Each structure stands twice: as C-alpha cells, then as structure tokens.
Amino acid sequence: MVRKKRLLIIAATALAAFSIVFAALTVGLLYYSGSSRPSYHYSLTLSTSGPIEDAVLLIPLPSRYDPDSGTNVTPVNMSLASFTNFDGENISVKVEHIGGIPVLNISADRIDPVYTNRIVPIGIMPGQNESELPKPTHVYSNRYSEETPVLVDMELHLPGISPDHDIETRVPIGVEPLLMPCRVIGNLDGSGGFVDKNHYVSPGSTGYIVEVPFALSFDADDENVLTISSGFLGTNQRWILGWQSNSYSESLRHEFKGPCNGTYPTRGILLTGKGAY
C-alpha cells in the first residue's frame, strides 16, 4: 500500500510538472505567433577611382510623409550609423533637409580612394589547423598600383530600426519610407533578368522600376568613376512554428564619370511582396 501511494505521488508530481511545461510552451507559442518584429535597414557604399575635390554629395534617404507633423520624416538616425573606410576626420556625413525632403550630405575638401592588395587564398592541408596558417597582410593606398590594385568601398550601415507598426510590404508606395523623391517609371513583369547593367531581379519578382535624383558637385579627372550604391529594406518577421518573414526593398546603383555639378536622375529597383504572408 505504501509503495502504491508513493507511485501515485510520483505520477501526480510528473503530471503537474508536464502541465506546467506544456502551459509555458503554449503561452510562448501564442505570444510569438501573435507578435511581429518589423524593422528597417539602410546601407550605402561608395567608391571613387581617383580623388574628388570640393565634394558635396546629396544622396537620397528613405523617408515618408507624416500627416501628423506635415513633414517628410526618415527612420535614419545617424547616431546609430557605423562606418567602414570613411575618413571620419576629413569627411562630413550628416542628414539635412532640401526642399523639405531628408537627404544624406557627404562633403569634404577632398575624398581620396582606398586601394588594397589582392589577398590570395591559402589552402588548408588535411589535418592542418587554420590557426597555423599565416595571417594575410593588408596594404592600403590612396592610389592604384600593381601592389594595391583592388578598389575598396567606403561603407555606411545602420542596424535594424524598429517602427511601431507592421510594415506594409505589398504596397509600400505612399505608406512606407522610400528613397525620395521617388518616381515610378515602369513595372517589373516577373520574367526576371537584368533591368540594366546595374540591376538584376530574380524571376517572379514583383515591383517597380523607379527613378531617384542624386545632386552631386565635385571636381575630378575626366576618366574618374564615382560609384554609389544605396539600399533600403523593410521587413516583418513572425514566429509561426518557425520564423517567417516578408519584405520590400529598394536599391540604387550608378557610376558617375568625370567631374559632376548638377542633379542626376538615377534608376533603381523597388521589389515588393517578397516572402511569406
């Protein structure tokens, strides 16, 4: 009888423990299934084959019209930005408003290119530890040479910025931030392929071909090439027995040759409705 009573106590304790664990898992599943993690991501890269002088680069930023404030607002917060290969002492990077629209102002008396040497991969022999391999030596220069033939991008990145709403990823125009001012000049037909030499889209992609202006002013050699790439991503992540997501994204890439002084309409791609819904 004592043994039987002991077994009943053990079984009741195990059942209670299982019930607690099951309840916790159920609550967690309901919580995650009903929650979304929306976020915005912005990035910019630029490179110049030679020095540019007296430079003022006004680069489009993602923004949207806010009816509450009556202004265009951007999710970009420069205090959160990280920079790679930027000369922070001599290059100014800030957000300013031109005609009521936020733009990124990159300006400097001189912006030099960044070149580095070519790193040759070293094969790992069977049984060899990677830590035993010699570390690659990077050599940098502000000019092209046989020793430093690889042009390096200057990069700006912003971590995920969380809005206070689920992002409208199917039809973001007029609702979500876009690289502004943005003008739709065509539709993607879903066939995929190269839209132009700078933009490739996968088959089945939906969205638009857009045009966004850059305002640039700088002196440079006639053969100089300044390349600017800008990208913005809005994504929702949701837990439904595993992480699922949907997103929209906008990307611009263009090469500007020689000196520049004016406004240059630049073609880009706006992809919508990507992912699971």
mmCIF file of all heavy atoms in Angstrom, residues 172-206:
data_model
loop_
_atom_site.group_PDB
_atom_site.id
_atom_site.type_symbol
_atom_site.label_atom_id
_atom_site.label_comp_id
_atom_site.label_asym_id
_atom_site.label_seq_id
_atom_site.Cartn_x
_atom_site.Cartn_y
_atom_site.Cartn_z
ATOM 1 N N PRO A 172 4.050 49.396 -50.568
ATOM 2 C CA PRO A 172 4.658 50.385 -49.663
ATOM 3 C C PRO A 172 4.570 51.823 -50.155
ATOM 4 O O PRO A 172 4.756 52.749 -49.368
ATOM 5 C CB PRO A 172 6.113 49.924 -49.602
ATOM 6 C CG PRO A 172 6.347 49.238 -50.917
ATOM 7 C CD PRO A 172 5.048 48.571 -51.263
ATOM 8 N N ILE A 173 4.297 52.031 -51.455
ATOM 9 C CA ILE A 173 4.300 53.388 -52.013
ATOM 10 C C ILE A 173 3.222 54.231 -51.332
ATOM 11 O O ILE A 173 2.061 53.839 -51.257
ATOM 12 C CB ILE A 173 4.069 53.354 -53.534
ATOM 13 C CG1 ILE A 173 5.231 52.642 -54.218
ATOM 14 C CG2 ILE A 173 3.920 54.764 -54.096
ATOM 15 C CD1 ILE A 173 5.060 52.495 -55.724
ATOM 16 N N GLY A 174 3.634 55.380 -50.821
ATOM 17 C CA GLY A 174 2.721 56.291 -50.157
ATOM 18 C C GLY A 174 2.465 55.963 -48.706
ATOM 19 O O GLY A 174 1.788 56.725 -48.009
ATOM 20 N N VAL A 175 3.000 54.814 -48.234
ATOM 21 C CA VAL A 175 2.743 54.375 -46.859
ATOM 22 C C VAL A 175 4.047 54.233 -46.083
ATOM 23 O O VAL A 175 4.148 54.677 -44.938
ATOM 24 C CB VAL A 175 1.980 53.032 -46.852
ATOM 25 C CG1 VAL A 175 1.703 52.597 -45.416
ATOM 26 C CG2 VAL A 175 0.691 53.130 -47.644
ATOM 27 N N GLU A 176 5.042 53.608 -46.703
ATOM 28 C CA GLU A 176 6.308 53.308 -46.046
ATOM 29 C C GLU A 176 7.429 54.191 -46.608
ATOM 30 O O GLU A 176 7.299 54.759 -47.692
ATOM 31 C CB GLU A 176 6.662 51.830 -46.242
ATOM 32 C CG GLU A 176 5.651 50.856 -45.657
ATOM 33 C CD GLU A 176 5.580 50.910 -44.147
ATOM 34 O OE1 GLU A 176 6.514 51.465 -43.531
ATOM 35 O OE2 GLU A 176 4.596 50.396 -43.590
ATOM 36 N N PRO A 177 8.545 54.295 -45.877
ATOM 37 C CA PRO A 177 9.668 55.084 -46.383
ATOM 38 C C PRO A 177 10.230 54.507 -47.677
ATOM 39 O O PRO A 177 10.380 53.298 -47.828
ATOM 40 C CB PRO A 177 10.707 54.976 -45.249
ATOM 41 C CG PRO A 177 9.922 54.640 -44.035
ATOM 42 C CD PRO A 177 8.790 53.788 -44.508
ATOM 43 N N LEU A 178 10.520 55.404 -48.612
ATOM 44 C CA LEU A 178 11.200 55.070 -49.866
ATOM 45 C C LEU A 178 12.311 56.085 -50.079
ATOM 46 O O LEU A 178 12.280 57.192 -49.532
ATOM 47 C CB LEU A 178 10.224 55.109 -51.050
ATOM 48 C CG LEU A 178 9.080 54.094 -51.055
ATOM 49 C CD1 LEU A 178 8.145 54.370 -52.221
ATOM 50 C CD2 LEU A 178 9.612 52.674 -51.128
ATOM 51 N N LEU A 179 13.306 55.717 -50.883
ATOM 52 C CA LEU A 179 14.362 56.660 -51.235
ATOM 53 C C LEU A 179 13.719 57.778 -52.049
ATOM 54 O O LEU A 179 13.215 57.563 -53.146
ATOM 55 C CB LEU A 179 15.460 55.955 -52.024
ATOM 56 C CG LEU A 179 16.150 54.812 -51.268
ATOM 57 C CD1 LEU A 179 17.062 54.022 -52.205
ATOM 58 C CD2 LEU A 179 16.946 55.340 -50.086
ATOM 59 N N MET A 180 13.736 58.975 -51.511
ATOM 60 C CA MET A 180 12.935 60.072 -52.062
ATOM 61 C C MET A 180 13.814 61.194 -52.618
ATOM 62 O O MET A 180 14.943 61.382 -52.170
ATOM 63 C CB MET A 180 12.021 60.628 -50.971
ATOM 64 C CG MET A 180 10.985 59.622 -50.478
ATOM 65 S SD MET A 180 9.769 59.192 -51.731
ATOM 66 C CE MET A 180 8.796 60.694 -51.748
ATOM 67 N N PRO A 181 13.221 62.000 -53.564
ATOM 68 C CA PRO A 181 11.917 61.808 -54.212
ATOM 69 C C PRO A 181 11.964 60.662 -55.222
ATOM 70 O O PRO A 181 12.910 60.546 -55.995
ATOM 71 C CB PRO A 181 11.653 63.146 -54.891
ATOM 72 C CG PRO A 181 13.011 63.710 -55.147
ATOM 73 C CD PRO A 181 13.876 63.242 -54.022
ATOM 74 N N CYS A 182 10.940 59.819 -55.195
ATOM 75 C CA CYS A 182 10.911 58.592 -55.997
ATOM 76 C C CYS A 182 9.829 58.706 -57.065
ATOM 77 O O CYS A 182 8.683 59.058 -56.760
ATOM 78 C CB CYS A 182 10.643 57.403 -55.076
ATOM 79 S SG CYS A 182 10.496 55.817 -55.909
ATOM 80 N N ARG A 183 10.188 58.375 -58.306
ATOM 81 C CA ARG A 183 9.218 58.411 -59.409
ATOM 82 C C ARG A 183 9.184 57.045 -60.078
ATOM 83 O O ARG A 183 10.220 56.504 -60.465
ATOM 84 C CB ARG A 183 9.629 59.480 -60.436
ATOM 85 C CG ARG A 183 8.615 59.678 -61.557
ATOM 86 C CD ARG A 183 8.975 60.929 -62.357
ATOM 87 N NE ARG A 183 10.148 60.732 -63.185
ATOM 88 C CZ ARG A 183 10.113 60.347 -64.468
ATOM 89 N NH1 ARG A 183 8.941 60.105 -65.052
ATOM 90 N NH2 ARG A 183 11.233 60.216 -65.160
ATOM 91 N N VAL A 184 7.989 56.462 -60.183
ATOM 92 C CA VAL A 184 7.832 55.169 -60.836
ATOM 93 C C VAL A 184 7.857 55.361 -62.347
ATOM 94 O O VAL A 184 7.088 56.154 -62.900
ATOM 95 C CB VAL A 184 6.509 54.495 -60.411
ATOM 96 C CG1 VAL A 184 6.281 53.206 -61.201
ATOM 97 C CG2 VAL A 184 6.517 54.203 -58.913
ATOM 98 N N ILE A 185 8.755 54.623 -63.027
ATOM 99 C CA ILE A 185 8.868 54.763 -64.483
ATOM 100 C C ILE A 185 8.558 53.462 -65.216
ATOM 101 O O ILE A 185 8.571 53.422 -66.445
ATOM 102 C CB ILE A 185 10.271 55.268 -64.886
ATOM 103 C CG1 ILE A 185 11.361 54.300 -64.433
ATOM 104 C CG2 ILE A 185 10.521 56.662 -64.333
ATOM 105 C CD1 ILE A 185 12.749 54.678 -64.940
ATOM 106 N N GLY A 186 8.268 52.379 -64.463
ATOM 107 C CA GLY A 186 7.944 51.118 -65.120
ATOM 108 C C GLY A 186 7.595 50.047 -64.107
ATOM 109 O O GLY A 186 7.828 50.206 -62.898
ATOM 110 N N ASN A 187 7.024 48.953 -64.593
ATOM 111 C CA ASN A 187 6.669 47.810 -63.752
ATOM 112 C C ASN A 187 7.567 46.622 -64.075
ATOM 113 O O ASN A 187 7.993 46.459 -65.224
ATOM 114 C CB ASN A 187 5.212 47.410 -63.979
ATOM 115 C CG ASN A 187 4.239 48.505 -63.568
ATOM 116 O OD1 ASN A 187 4.402 49.123 -62.519
ATOM 117 N ND2 ASN A 187 3.231 48.746 -64.393
ATOM 118 N N LEU A 188 7.823 45.797 -63.077
ATOM 119 C CA LEU A 188 8.528 44.536 -63.301
ATOM 120 C C LEU A 188 7.511 43.502 -63.768
ATOM 121 O O LEU A 188 6.444 43.356 -63.165
ATOM 122 C CB LEU A 188 9.213 44.066 -62.023
ATOM 123 C CG LEU A 188 10.295 45.004 -61.458
ATOM 124 C CD1 LEU A 188 10.829 44.445 -60.149
ATOM 125 C CD2 LEU A 188 11.423 45.199 -62.455
ATOM 126 N N ASP A 189 7.843 42.781 -64.838
ATOM 127 C CA ASP A 189 6.875 41.853 -65.429
ATOM 128 C C ASP A 189 7.005 40.428 -64.902
ATOM 129 O O ASP A 189 6.290 39.527 -65.347
ATOM 130 C CB ASP A 189 6.992 41.851 -66.957
ATOM 131 C CG ASP A 189 8.386 41.435 -67.443
ATOM 132 O OD1 ASP A 189 9.175 40.935 -66.616
ATOM 133 O OD2 ASP A 189 8.669 41.612 -68.642
ATOM 134 N N GLY A 190 7.914 40.203 -63.963
ATOM 135 C CA GLY A 190 8.052 38.876 -63.373
ATOM 136 C C GLY A 190 8.980 37.939 -64.110
ATOM 137 O O GLY A 190 9.255 36.826 -63.643
ATOM 138 N N SER A 191 9.478 38.364 -65.272
ATOM 139 C CA SER A 191 10.336 37.478 -66.056
ATOM 140 C C SER A 191 11.747 37.392 -65.484
ATOM 141 O O SER A 191 12.479 36.429 -65.740
ATOM 142 C CB SER A 191 10.397 37.948 -67.512
ATOM 143 O OG SER A 191 10.953 39.262 -67.590
ATOM 144 N N GLY A 192 12.160 38.387 -64.716
ATOM 145 C CA GLY A 192 13.493 38.383 -64.128
ATOM 146 C C GLY A 192 14.561 38.764 -65.142
ATOM 147 O O GLY A 192 14.286 39.040 -66.311
ATOM 148 N N GLY A 193 15.808 38.812 -64.675
ATOM 149 C CA GLY A 193 16.931 39.165 -65.533
ATOM 150 C C GLY A 193 17.448 40.558 -65.232
ATOM 151 O O GLY A 193 17.059 41.202 -64.250
ATOM 152 N N PHE A 194 18.338 41.054 -66.106
ATOM 153 C CA PHE A 194 18.930 42.371 -65.925
ATOM 154 C C PHE A 194 17.972 43.444 -66.422
ATOM 155 O O PHE A 194 17.554 43.444 -67.580
ATOM 156 C CB PHE A 194 20.254 42.469 -66.679
ATOM 157 C CG PHE A 194 21.393 41.796 -65.970
ATOM 158 C CD1 PHE A 194 21.753 40.493 -66.277
ATOM 159 C CD2 PHE A 194 22.104 42.464 -64.977
ATOM 160 C CE1 PHE A 194 22.799 39.855 -65.616
ATOM 161 C CE2 PHE A 194 23.148 41.832 -64.311
ATOM 162 C CZ PHE A 194 23.501 40.534 -64.631
ATOM 163 N N VAL A 195 17.618 44.358 -65.527
ATOM 164 C CA VAL A 195 16.835 45.531 -65.923
ATOM 165 C C VAL A 195 17.738 46.514 -66.652
ATOM 166 O O VAL A 195 17.353 47.139 -67.627
ATOM 167 C CB VAL A 195 16.194 46.187 -64.685
ATOM 168 C CG1 VAL A 195 15.457 47.463 -65.056
ATOM 169 C CG2 VAL A 195 15.260 45.209 -63.994
ATOM 170 N N ASP A 196 18.952 46.658 -66.161
ATOM 171 C CA ASP A 196 20.026 47.390 -66.828
ATOM 172 C C ASP A 196 21.330 46.804 -66.295
ATOM 173 O O ASP A 196 21.312 45.811 -65.571
ATOM 174 C CB ASP A 196 19.919 48.912 -66.599
ATOM 175 C CG ASP A 196 19.860 49.270 -65.121
ATOM 176 O OD1 ASP A 196 20.567 48.614 -64.318
ATOM 177 O OD2 ASP A 196 19.107 50.182 -64.747
ATOM 178 N N LYS A 197 22.460 47.398 -66.633
ATOM 179 C CA LYS A 197 23.739 46.800 -66.241
ATOM 180 C C LYS A 197 23.964 46.821 -64.733
ATOM 181 O O LYS A 197 24.815 46.082 -64.209
ATOM 182 C CB LYS A 197 24.897 47.511 -66.940
ATOM 183 C CG LYS A 197 25.146 48.933 -66.451
ATOM 184 C CD LYS A 197 26.403 49.507 -67.095
ATOM 185 C CE LYS A 197 26.740 50.885 -66.532
ATOM 186 N NZ LYS A 197 28.004 51.415 -67.095
ATOM 187 N N ASN A 198 23.208 47.652 -64.016
ATOM 188 C CA ASN A 198 23.404 47.781 -62.578
ATOM 189 C C ASN A 198 22.414 46.996 -61.729
ATOM 190 O O ASN A 198 22.608 46.867 -60.522
ATOM 191 C CB ASN A 198 23.317 49.267 -62.170
ATOM 192 C CG ASN A 198 24.467 50.084 -62.698
ATOM 193 O OD1 ASN A 198 25.620 49.700 -62.578
ATOM 194 N ND2 ASN A 198 24.163 51.216 -63.309
ATOM 195 N N HIS A 199 21.328 46.491 -62.340
ATOM 196 C CA HIS A 199 20.270 45.894 -61.535
ATOM 197 C C HIS A 199 19.799 44.571 -62.136
ATOM 198 O O HIS A 199 19.423 44.519 -63.304
ATOM 199 C CB HIS A 199 19.084 46.856 -61.416
ATOM 200 C CG HIS A 199 19.425 48.164 -60.782
ATOM 201 N ND1 HIS A 199 19.734 49.284 -61.524
ATOM 202 C CD2 HIS A 199 19.523 48.521 -59.477
ATOM 203 C CE1 HIS A 199 19.997 50.282 -60.704
ATOM 204 N NE2 HIS A 199 19.876 49.851 -59.462
ATOM 205 N N TYR A 200 19.801 43.535 -61.310
ATOM 206 C CA TYR A 200 19.295 42.215 -61.692
ATOM 207 C C TYR A 200 18.172 41.843 -60.738
ATOM 208 O O TYR A 200 18.273 42.068 -59.521
ATOM 209 C CB TYR A 200 20.409 41.169 -61.608
ATOM 210 C CG TYR A 200 19.920 39.760 -61.893
ATOM 211 C CD1 TYR A 200 19.842 39.270 -63.188
ATOM 212 C CD2 TYR A 200 19.509 38.930 -60.833
ATOM 213 C CE1 TYR A 200 19.377 37.991 -63.445
ATOM 214 C CE2 TYR A 200 19.052 37.650 -61.086
ATOM 215 C CZ TYR A 200 18.984 37.184 -62.395
ATOM 216 O OH TYR A 200 18.505 35.917 -62.630
ATOM 217 N N VAL A 201 17.083 41.277 -61.283
ATOM 218 C CA VAL A 201 15.989 40.806 -60.437
ATOM 219 C C VAL A 201 15.714 39.336 -60.738
ATOM 220 O O VAL A 201 15.870 38.871 -61.868
ATOM 221 C CB VAL A 201 14.699 41.640 -60.643
ATOM 222 C CG1 VAL A 201 14.906 43.067 -60.194
ATOM 223 C CG2 VAL A 201 14.249 41.617 -62.095
ATOM 224 N N SER A 202 15.311 38.594 -59.715
ATOM 225 C CA SER A 202 15.031 37.167 -59.863
ATOM 226 C C SER A 202 13.698 36.956 -60.571
ATOM 227 O O SER A 202 12.780 37.775 -60.446
ATOM 228 C CB SER A 202 14.997 36.498 -58.491
ATOM 229 O OG SER A 202 16.220 36.668 -57.821
ATOM 230 N N PRO A 203 13.563 35.855 -61.311
ATOM 231 C CA PRO A 203 12.268 35.536 -61.935
ATOM 232 C C PRO A 203 11.153 35.481 -60.894
ATOM 233 O O PRO A 203 11.345 34.982 -59.791
ATOM 234 C CB PRO A 203 12.512 34.166 -62.568
ATOM 235 C CG PRO A 203 13.987 34.113 -62.806
ATOM 236 C CD PRO A 203 14.605 34.864 -61.665
ATOM 237 N N GLY A 204 10.000 36.022 -61.255
ATOM 238 C CA GLY A 204 8.863 36.058 -60.349
ATOM 239 C C GLY A 204 8.805 37.280 -59.463
ATOM 240 O O GLY A 204 7.836 37.456 -58.711
ATOM 241 N N SER A 205 9.819 38.142 -59.544
ATOM 242 C CA SER A 205 9.836 39.335 -58.696
ATOM 243 C C SER A 205 8.749 40.308 -59.117
ATOM 244 O O SER A 205 8.489 40.507 -60.306
ATOM 245 C CB SER A 205 11.203 40.030 -58.775
ATOM 246 O OG SER A 205 12.228 39.196 -58.293
ATOM 247 N N THR A 206 8.121 40.929 -58.128
ATOM 248 C CA THR A 206 7.110 41.948 -58.389
ATOM 249 C C THR A 206 7.607 43.287 -57.856
ATOM 250 O O THR A 206 8.349 43.337 -56.874
ATOM 251 C CB THR A 206 5.777 41.599 -57.723
ATOM 252 O OG1 THR A 206 5.975 41.484 -56.298
ATOM 253 C CG2 THR A 206 5.225 40.291 -58.255
#
